[in-house]
Amino acid sequence: CGDPSPGTTAGAAAASSTSPSADTDAALPAGCAAADGSSAKQQEFTEYPPMCLADGATYVAVIETNHGTLHINLRPEVAPLTVNSFVNLARFHYFDATTCHRAIQYFVVQCGDPTATGTGGPGYEFADELAKFDGYRIGSVAMANAGPGTNGSQFFIITGDNGAALPANYTLFGQVDDDDLGVVAALDALANPNDGPPLEPIDITSI
């Protein structure tokens, strides 16, 4: 489905945010999930959400997996549309109890599809954000896509040098905290030497 291809030399479980007091439920537009995580789980949407991020806020997605915890420093200054969508989906528990359907050794682990088929999404798509791209590295988090302007919910975490060598076709929106790169290495150790699912399940408990 147009996902990053290993042929080119190469995608949270509590998603949390630290933000100013403006990032309160009372200040959020209709269509935004509650910032405190109290919204009911939702995995089907009809349109891209309104802007749910607070100006100047710092967002950290905490991805609980069955192989460890990843803290993702999100980058709204680089990809505001992407971070807005990701945070809102996480607050709607969209990613909770899902499995990462694709993992290629030294390349990427791809997640974010509740159907685990590689074809699922939230019901909307949005534009790429590549203008401020500053390079992939191990631990980078970027959007999978099926071509320009087809971002939805699937994302990947770069787990090796082949992934870091991907062309700048995938919106970069976060970076795994350096302290959690050992978990990234553990996920890569479970990855398939070929294109396909991991050798053992990689499950997201919550973001």
Side-chain angles (χ1 to χ4, degrees):
C1 62
D3 296 325
S5 168
T8 58
T9 70
S16 64
S17 67
T18 56
S19 55
S21 58
D23 192 11
T24 64
D25 293 343
L28 292 173
C32 294
D36 64 2
S38 62
S39 294
K41 185 170 184 174
Q42 183 174 339
Q43 291 182 314
E44 295 182 3
F45 301 84
T46 58
E47 60 185 0
Y48 179 86
M51 181 52 65
C52 305
L53 304 180
D55 289 342
T58 298
Y59 292 88
V60 177
V62 182
I63 304 181
E64 298 289 347
T65 81
N66 58 331
H67 297 287
T69 301
L70 295 167
H71 294 78
I72 311 292
N73 298 305
L74 301 178
R75 302 184 65 189
E77 75 285 0
V78 170
L81 293 177
T82 307
V83 173
N84 182 58
S85 175
F86 186 86
V87 167
N88 201 50
L89 290 174
R91 287 174 173 175
F92 271 120
H93 309 287
Y94 177 93
F95 302 107
D96 295 2
T98 62
T99 192
C100 299
H101 63 278
R102 187 180 188 226
I104 307 173
Q105 197 169 40
Y106 312 128
F107 186 51
V108 304
V109 171
Q110 188 167 327
C111 313
D113 174 5
T115 72
T117 64
T119 62
Y124 61 80
E125 295 179 343
F126 58 95
D128 300 318
E129 296 177 291
L130 304 174
K132 296 183 179 180
F133 175 78
D134 55 4
Y136 305 119
R137 63 186 180 95
I138 293 174
S140 290
V141 184
M143 293 300 294
N145 62 51
T150 61
N151 300 291
S153 60
Q154 293 188 43
F155 64 94
F156 60 88
I157 301 167
I158 291 177
T159 59
D161 290 340
N162 291 342
L166 274 165
N169 296 334
Y170 309 96
T171 298
L172 174 67
F173 70 96
Q175 178 65 38
V176 174
D177 190 89
D178 287 348
D179 289 341
D180 296 336
L181 290 178
V183 177
V184 173
L187 298 182
D188 189 62
L190 300 172
N192 198 314
N194 302 303
D195 193 345
L199 303 179
E200 296 180 20
I202 297 174
D203 298 327
I204 291 177
T205 307
S206 65
I207 297 185

